[in-house]
Amino acid sequence: QTLANGEIMNLPASPSSPSSSSTTPFSYLYQYYQHIILPSDTLQGICLQYRVSPVILRQINTFSSSSLLLAPKKLKIPKRHDIIVREQNKESEEYKVHFIKAEFPILNEKEVRAYLELSGWVLSKALDELGDDLSWEKVANTKENSFAVISSIREKMKVVKALKTSKSMQQKKQVHVKSRDMTDS
């Protein structure tokens, strides 16, 4: 359906039929930004950032609260072509941690950080590694192998800790050598 300039289109308040319950209102009308909810986010702040009304945001993402606690961890926000918005910084550590937590809610923050550190904070590498580990767990799907996956995650966390300790010790040695060199001269 094409609208003439100035013509108004009434948008549905809900999906048109029960069989389309998997489709959210407006999903066929817009292109979307994806916003990962961070601990510092508020509904009002997101609405201001993307210049969208709270009502529209809640309808598109099918939550009714004015709090983000009950909202999906990944919000769909309609793009408006008449304005420029500042999107999330997708390179920040906080974004990457919460992106993975939204994708894999069974992981805690320490586990997510371990995967990111092992992948050099490259989000796609961490997601690939996690996907491989978790698909291996699904295939095995036994209690013993579930414990093996958890053990594997814990081992990776130990490696990250050991790398940090080693790096810290190297830095201390360098400082000690430098200070000794300064006292010798």
Side-chain angles (χ1 to χ4, degrees), residues 77-146:
I77 300 172
K79 286 185 178 183
R80 289 184 44 195
H81 300 287
D82 58 333
I83 60 169
I84 298 173
V85 299
R86 182 182 53 85
E87 289 187 64
Q88 281 183 296
N89 177 3
K90 294 181 177 155
E91 295 304 315
S92 75
E93 285 185 13
E94 184 181 36
Y95 174 86
K96 291 176 182 181
V97 166
H98 290 281
F99 183 90
I100 291 177
K101 284 179 73 177
E103 289 288 318
F104 300 99
I106 63 167
L107 298 176
N108 65 40
E109 191 164 329
K110 275 186 170 181
E111 293 165 336
V112 169
R113 286 184 175 279
Y115 274 96
L116 283 164
E117 288 180 14
L118 285 172
S119 68
W121 287 90
V122 177
L123 186 57
S124 60
K125 285 183 183 177
L127 289 169
D128 288 344
E129 181 73 25
L130 265 164
D132 291 346
D133 286 354
L134 293 174
S135 65
W136 175 78
E137 180 183 5
K138 275 185 180 177
V139 169
N141 204 18
T142 67
K143 205 179 239 187
E144 293 151 7
N145 285 330
S146 294

Side-chain angles (χ1 to χ4, degrees), residues 34-81:
Q34 177 180 285
H35 182 91
I36 301 297
I37 295 179
L38 304 177
S40 58
D41 284 338
T42 63
L43 180 64
Q44 296 80 8
I46 292 171
C47 290
L48 288 171
Q49 179 179 348
Y50 292 95
R51 298 184 187 176
V52 63
S53 84
V55 172
I56 298 288
L57 190 63
R58 286 193 299 258
Q59 285 179 332
I60 289 172
N61 292 284
T62 61
F63 72 101
S64 59
S65 174
S66 59
S67 164
L68 291 175
L69 294 174
L70 300 175
K73 299 305 173 205
K74 284 195 236 177
L75 293 176
K76 291 184 348 185
I77 300 172
K79 286 185 178 183
R80 289 184 44 195
H81 300 287

